[in-house]
Amino acid sequence: MGLIWDPKRDEFSFNAREEVAEWCTKRQILSALTKVSDPLGFLTAYLMLGKILIQEIWMNGTDWDVEISEPLKIRAQNWVEQQKNLDKILVKRTLNEK
């Protein structure tokens, strides 16, 4: 999952898909977060939501392979579900030569 450059149209797009699990653990959420490659920072707002979620799970003291609490699980599943929309983001790269 990551950044794709289309040289013909000179634009960046994203390929990010993660399955929504029936149950969520800290390990699964962190794995989903690290699978999104964003070297240029276009997805910073989206990735920050995932990092905040991980931080809250850590503060709750949840172990790696224990299912997280229901409110956090709903937020995690919504966050992963939003990955469907990442492939709709197109960043045109412009080069103005004068």
Side-chain angles (χ1 to χ4, degrees):
M1 293 185 219
L3 185 65
I4 300 168
W5 176 52
D6 182 351
K8 291 181 182 176
R9 297 189 318 202
D10 199 18
E11 65 186 15
F12 293 106
S13 62
F14 299 90
N15 178 16
R17 295 288 174 144
E18 183 72 23
E19 296 294 322
V20 178
E22 292 296 318
W23 56 284
C24 292
T25 65
K26 180 168 47 176
R27 185 181 312 275
Q28 289 171 320
I29 296 167
L30 188 58
S31 175
L33 181 62
T34 60
K35 287 180 184 177
V36 180
S37 174
D38 182 32
L40 300 177
F42 296 129
L43 304 177
T44 299
Y46 172 76
L47 292 175
M48 188 58 64
L49 292 174
K51 291 176 183 182
I52 291 169
L53 183 62
I54 285 290
Q55 184 179 32
E56 290 180 23
I57 294 168
W58 272 99
M59 290 187 323
N60 281 346
T62 307
D63 284 334
W64 283 102
D65 296 312
V66 174
E67 187 170 350
I68 61 176
S69 67
E70 192 62 30
L72 289 174
K73 178 180 174 181
I74 291 168
R75 286 181 46 207
Q77 288 174 334
N78 288 338
W79 179 78
V80 172
E81 187 70 28
Q82 289 175 8
Q83 283 188 6
K84 290 183 195 176
N85 298 322
L86 295 182
D87 59 1
K88 296 176 185 172
I89 297 173
L90 298 175
V91 180
K92 297 201 181 281
R93 210 176 70 130
T94 60
L95 177 63
N96 295 326
E97 294 182 24
K98 292 185 180 184

